[in-house]
Amino acid sequence: MNLKQLIKKMTLEQKLAQLSQFTADCLSVTASGAISGPAGELALTKEQVSATGSTLNYIGADMMKGIQDEHMQNDPNKIPLLFMQDVIHGYRTIYPIPLAIGASFDDQLAEDCCRMAAKESALGGVHVVFSPMVDLARDPRWGRCMETTGEDPYLNSQMARAMVRGYQGKMKGKYDVAACVKHFACYGGAEAGRDYNTVDMSMRNLQDYYLPAYKAAIDEDVEMVMTSFNLLNGVPSSGNKWLMNDTLRKKWGFDGIVISDYNAIREMNMHGYCATEKDCAEKSIKATCDIEMRSATYLQQVPNLIIEGKIKMKDIDKAVLRVLKLKEKMGLFENPYLVADGEKEEKVCLCKEHREIARKAAEKSAVLLKNNGVLPFDTSAKKVAVIGPFADKGMIGFWACLGKAEEAVSVAQGVKNLLPDATVTCQEGCSSKLNETDISGVEKAVELAKESDIVILTVGEEAYHSGEGNSRAEIKLSIAQQTLIKQVVKANPKTAVVLFNGRPLVLNGIIDDMPALVDAWQPGTEGGNAIANLLFGKVNFSAKLPMTFPKTEGQIPIYYNSFRTGRPKGDDSSDAGYCSRYQDVGNLPLFPFGYGLSYSTFQISKPTLSTNVITKKDKLVAEVTVKNTSNVDGEVVLQAYIGDDYASLVRPVKELKDYKKVMLKAGEEKTVKFKITEEMLRFWSANDKFESEYGSFTLWISDCSDTGESVKVEYVKKR
Ligand code: GLC
């Protein structure tokens, strides 16, 4: 197909339609030609609807084929629609939210989950998934933490790469779908953790922390990029030429499609960046945002901008070419349906193999935060109480695509599956409402706890308490949930608390009452089976926190890779004045980045070095001996951190540079090696580029960001 010839044939309106994306409910052109529903609100004409280039938010292969059929009949150029969908952590078989996948520190697991999601999506008629979301998140008040893989640029970069590989393969396989990295850029830096709020930060902060994961996705050949709703340093991302044209395209070499977020181009009026919709269209086109999602400023304003000479036709043609190239690459011109097949979709979605992947992901991403020895529970338990507002409901998260909570395994069901001879009884105890104070149900829950062998106590937040538009200024458990915990544990100390959450929560004042605490996040379709296997020791814990848990909201933002300041406060025990501290809650978090317990215990030696001097071309090898000192096989996440002791711009106390998840049988010992290179020492310098500086560095290899013996490394010009 000669795409340039095709573009030459197209009218301006048809070109602009290729650069417009409307939800599926906009696309039906009634027999009378009357445009109804949202298309009517957008004042779209029948021709504009007929020539639209892509759509989103439809349900399944059959609907997709119906829409594509109608479109191919109406489109004068017979250009197939691109179908896009929010497949964030699964299409129909839902695996844990991305924040949980980050906690797995397991790139292969992330890739396998996305591969599974890609197959289900492709059969469902999806061509592009609006994923991975790689926004760095340091503020747990932000609802969309659940969609990120956490606070660390390196972990987020590795996860971004793995997810793009999982979705796209080599973009040649029949189940390969195009990925769309989002939200470009720095959406997670919203002031005060309030969704859509202003992002204002230094170039250093941008380059060292917030941009690397997008760049990682670009380097992994992601097909698309989605702009973010927020301002970045005074300019909305969807009209931000420095972000899209200068950085993404010119500097990083990305020549794929950029799509705006939902209505984000038109919202530049609301931001106060544009005076009119025509202004919105002009600034977005000039910034090289190709597709306008769910608003019509391109269709309605660009013709005049061309007449006025403000927009050049060649820029429109370039954008259209990028869209048509993806359609050609995916084979849509040959076959507008690709592998969409309603029957196969039904057969493959939720199949045993996919449920297995989802269950394994939930097992490898739940974090054991506390255990006084009450876990693992004994499988000989006969009377099991499952208490709390999440005792018997599937927890599949905010962006669950076509997933259904009723198709997910609850904790109670998971226990029944594991212990068919046990009596499993549920009591809600209290509601999941935010700020719930009604404790009238606690008494019955306490009675049940008293007469049970063991208690699983499910607390936390609903999926809709996090996710888009769902920031929270207070992230504590409700009074009712805290009361439930205190009274149930008092009634039966053989209690394990299971937390369901889309972000770190504040557990101060209640954590001491918990004999054991498991963070299950939003574990997805197989959550209940995974949680049961973990609580009864069929599977061991191996996950680590991808985001810091603050003691209180007042500490936020709090993250491990911060600066030491000129007056660091030693630890929380000292009450030294005149240092960087809070008088009332201390500086340390409740749980730090990289923290997570296991049924195993591990001993990690101080790193030994092949040499303690590196140069630009000579790397060094650091190795540790790690021993499983328990009688339980287990995996440990070894984390390599480097701190630049002094530099022309102050550097964080430490930064994660590598991690390896290592399986060790009971009593087994292994030597694990890490390559330390000059590239790991680079940072965004005052010379406005990434570079390393000679000097001394500190290296830790540990199983958490706040532990481990360190060694010194010298970076010199030559040995
Ligand atoms: C939403 C989200 C974005 C999503 C898009 C399409 O507002 O910000 O992540 O992909 O709209 O649903």
Side-chain angles (χ1 to χ4, degrees):
M1 164 81 65
N2 183 325
L3 298 178
K4 288 184 177 166
Q5 285 306 319
L6 174 55
I7 292 171
K8 278 207 174 73
K9 269 178 37 191
M10 292 165 75
T11 66
L12 173 59
E13 183 160 79
Q14 289 162 0
K15 292 175 184 176
L16 296 174
Q18 285 298 314
L19 306 183
S20 304
Q21 177 178 90
F22 300 108
T23 42
D25 56 4
C26 293
L27 293 190
S28 55
V29 181
T30 60
S32 66
I35 300 290
S36 57
E41 286 149 30
L42 286 167
L44 298 180
T45 66
K46 180 182 168 190
E47 290 66 32
Q48 287 170 338
V49 170
S50 306
T52 298
S54 62
T55 186
L56 75 158
N57 293 4
Y58 61 93
I59 311 283
D62 295 339
M63 181 174 177
M64 176 264 182
K65 291 168 93 169
I67 292 171
Q68 192 72 296
D69 277 344
E70 183 176 352
H71 173 81
M72 292 303 280
Q73 280 154 31
N74 297 324
D75 184 333
N77 300 301
K78 306 296 171 209
I79 301 172
L81 281 165
L82 260 181
F83 284 77
M84 305 191 191
Q85 190 78 283
D86 286 302
V87 181
I88 310 301
H89 52 105
Y91 172 78
R92 175 83 177 276
T93 307
I94 304 302
Y95 51 86
I97 54 174
L99 190 58
I101 299 299
S104 74
F105 279 77
D106 187 332
D107 305 359
Q108 192 55 56
L109 179 86
E111 186 172 336
D112 294 345
C113 287
C114 294
R115 184 98 300 254
M116 179 260 281
K119 182 171 183 181
E120 293 191 358
S121 301
L123 290 169
V126 178
H127 304 140
V128 179
V129 295
F130 289 137
S131 178
M133 191 269 221
V134 302
D135 305 315
L136 185 130
R138 287 175 168 168
D139 193 324
R141 293 171 293 183
W142 189 44
R144 299 191 79 165
C145 291
M146 50 73 56
E147 232 175 310
T148 76
T149 47
E151 72 186 44
D152 182 75
Y154 178 74
L155 176 60
N156 290 351
S157 298
Q158 292 298 98
M159 287 287 155
R161 286 176 175 274
M163 291 178 180
V164 170
R165 286 195 300 270
Y167 289 127
Q168 297 190 168
K170 296 279 178 235
M171 284 301 282
K172 292 191 169 67
K174 65 180 185 176
Y175 300 128
D176 294 349
V177 293
C180 175
V181 66
K182 68 187 185 183
H183 304 79
F184 194 60
C186 312
Y187 184 23
E191 218 164 71
R194 206 174 74 230
D195 206 359
Y196 315 123
N197 202 7
T198 299
V199 175
D200 210 276
M201 63 174 74
S202 69
M203 183 57 78
R204 186 195 55 73
N205 210 8
L206 259 175
Q207 300 287 353
D208 280 339
Y209 293 102
Y210 284 84
L211 289 182
Y214 305 108
K215 175 75 167 48
I218 301 301
D219 293 345
E220 203 65 39
D221 294 331
V222 71
E223 289 293 340
M224 284 183 61
V225 174
M226 182 188 293
T227 63
S228 59
F229 287 117
N230 56 282
L231 287 182
L232 175 60
N233 297 343
V235 180
S237 299
S238 302
N240 196 314
K241 200 167 169 299
W242 175 81
L243 254 186
M244 277 184 271
N245 194 49
D246 305 348
T247 303
L248 183 64
R249 296 195 189 283
K250 287 206 175 113
K251 191 158 182 205
W252 294 357
F254 178 70
D255 190 32
I257 299 170
V258 176
I259 186 170
S260 77
D261 203 337
Y262 198 99
N263 196 43
I265 288 176
R266 192 162 47 171
E267 283 169 17
M268 293 200 290
N269 273 339
M270 190 54 74
H271 273 295
Y273 182 62
C274 298
T276 62
E277 291 203 5
K278 192 158 113 181
D279 202 5
C280 296
E282 180 181 356
K283 285 177 176 162
S284 288
I285 291 278
K286 284 181 173 168
T288 72
C289 183
D290 299 310
I291 297 179
E292 177 177 17
M293 185 194 291
R294 201 51 176 78
S295 54
T297 69
Y298 283 12
L299 274 169
Q300 293 162 351
Q301 306 299 337
V302 170
N304 289 335
L305 288 165
I306 297 242
I307 292 165
E308 293 160 17
K310 289 180 180 168
I311 293 283
K312 296 189 181 65
M313 184 63 86
K314 71 177 175 59
D315 293 331
I316 300 299
D317 290 350
K318 269 188 206 164
V320 174
L321 184 58
R322 285 193 279 260
V323 174
L324 298 184
K325 272 184 174 174
L326 181 58
K327 295 185 178 183
E328 181 182 57
K329 185 174 189 176
M330 299 198 75
L332 279 167
F333 287 105
E334 286 74 38
N335 170 8
Y337 311 111
L338 297 186
V339 295
D341 181 320
E343 264 178 49
K344 282 188 187 151
E345 180 188 3
E346 268 318 297
K347 213 164 115 236
V348 168
C349 290
L350 297 169
C351 67
K352 189 168 172 297
E353 183 203 345
H354 285 188
R355 279 185 172 269
E356 177 81 11
I357 292 169
R359 200 203 70 250
K360 215 172 115 192
E363 288 167 351
K364 286 179 165 277
S365 56
V367 186
L368 180 59
L369 292 173
K370 184 180 177 186
N371 183 20
N372 71 356
V374 73
L375 290 178
F377 284 142
D378 194 320
T379 51
S380 64
K382 287 290 167 267
K383 291 189 285 184
V384 180
V386 187
I387 294 173
F390 310 104
D392 203 12
K393 60 196 293 191
M395 301 303 289
I396 59 174
F398 181 88
W399 287 101
C401 201
L402 274 59
K404 299 184 180 76
E406 56 273 23
E407 292 171 342
V409 180
S410 68
V411 173
Q413 189 52 55
V415 176
K416 287 173 188 165
N417 295 341
L418 183 67
L419 307 179
D421 301 332
T423 305
V424 180
T425 315
C426 296
Q427 269 298 335
E428 187 184 47
C430 68
S431 86
S432 62
K433 261 172 40 198
L434 291 181
N435 310 320
E436 178 63 276
T437 54
D438 176 359
I439 56 170
S440 56
V442 170
E443 191 182 338
K444 276 177 82 175
V446 167
E447 286 316 307
L448 173 62
K450 276 183 188 151
E451 60 196 41
S452 302
D453 298 331
I454 55 169
V455 180
I456 299 169
L457 185 41
T458 63
V459 294
E461 59 180 4
E462 294 282 4
Y464 52 78
H465 290 147
S466 63
E468 183 175 355
N470 294 326
S471 295
R472 292 173 60 184
E474 293 185 341
I475 50 177
K476 302 178 183 63
L477 297 178
S478 67
I479 297 297
Q481 288 194 25
Q482 293 193 46
T483 307
L484 182 66
I485 293 167
K486 286 180 192 288
Q487 296 200 15
V488 162
V489 171
K490 205 160 80 182
N492 188 336
K494 284 195 173 173
T495 294
V497 177
V498 178
L499 189 65
F500 293 101
N501 50 316
R503 50 155 68 87
L505 294 177
V506 164
L507 302 170
N508 231 18
I510 190 66
I511 183 71
D512 295 341
D513 296 90
M514 301 178 188
L517 171 63
V518 172
D519 191 337
W521 311 105
Q522 302 283 352
T525 305
E526 280 290 309
N529 286 333
I531 291 164
N533 288 342
L534 287 163
L535 294 179
F536 287 88
K538 291 292 179 197
V539 173
N540 196 351
F541 290 93
S542 64
K544 300 286 185 180
L545 289 180
M547 235 183 126
T548 302
F549 269 60
K551 285 198 189 85
T552 75
E553 293 88 350
Q555 288 182 313
I556 296 169
I558 179 171
Y559 45 92
Y560 86 93
N561 44 0
S562 56
F563 299 120
R564 66 175 63 83
T565 78
R567 295 190 175 192
K569 174 182 166 79
D571 61 37
D572 275 5
S573 58
S574 79
D575 56 5
Y578 300 110
C579 63
S580 179
R581 65 167 186 150
Y582 303 102
Q583 290 184 63
D584 47 359
V585 292
N587 292 357
L588 295 179
L590 181 63
F591 300 114
F593 174 84
Y595 175 83
L597 300 174
S598 162
Y599 291 139
S600 310
T601 48
F602 300 98
Q603 206 162 46
I604 304 167
S605 72
K606 180 173 177 175
T608 54
L609 306 177
S610 57
T611 164
N612 68 349
V613 174
I614 62 172
T615 67
K616 203 155 183 69
K617 62 180 180 49
D618 303 314
K619 64 181 178 300
L620 70 79
V621 174
E623 67 178 59
V624 289
T625 306
V626 52
K627 183 176 172 66
N628 180 343
T629 51
S630 73
N631 58 4
V632 181
D633 298 353
E635 286 183 289
V636 59
V637 178
L638 292 176
Q639 304 152 43
Y641 294 93
I642 293 179
D644 189 341
D645 297 340
Y646 55 86
S648 58
L649 289 179
V650 169
R651 308 292 303 123
V653 291
K654 60 174 69 173
E655 296 175 287
L656 181 69
K657 294 296 179 184
D658 195 357
Y659 54 85
K660 295 177 195 286
K661 199 160 190 177
V662 181
M663 167 54 89
L664 287 156
K665 293 203 168 307
E668 186 181 10
E669 185 173 275
K670 278 183 182 171
T671 299
V672 183
K673 296 181 192 290
F674 288 84
K675 271 190 220 138
I676 307 298
T677 64
E678 173 272 336
E679 202 176 359
M680 291 176 170
L681 312 182
R682 293 180 194 168
F683 64 96
W684 187 261
S685 75
N687 305 321
D688 270 353
K689 60 182 177 179
F690 283 106
E691 52 188 351
S692 52
E693 292 177 356
Y694 304 123
S696 80
F697 294 79
T698 306
L699 168 70
W700 296 260
I701 298 175
S702 174
D703 60 355
C704 184
S705 62
D706 70 346
T707 59
E709 290 183 78
S710 64
V711 288
K712 286 296 182 190
V713 172
E714 200 67 24
Y715 169 46
V716 296
K717 199 174 175 100
K718 60 179 192 303
R719 277 181 174 154

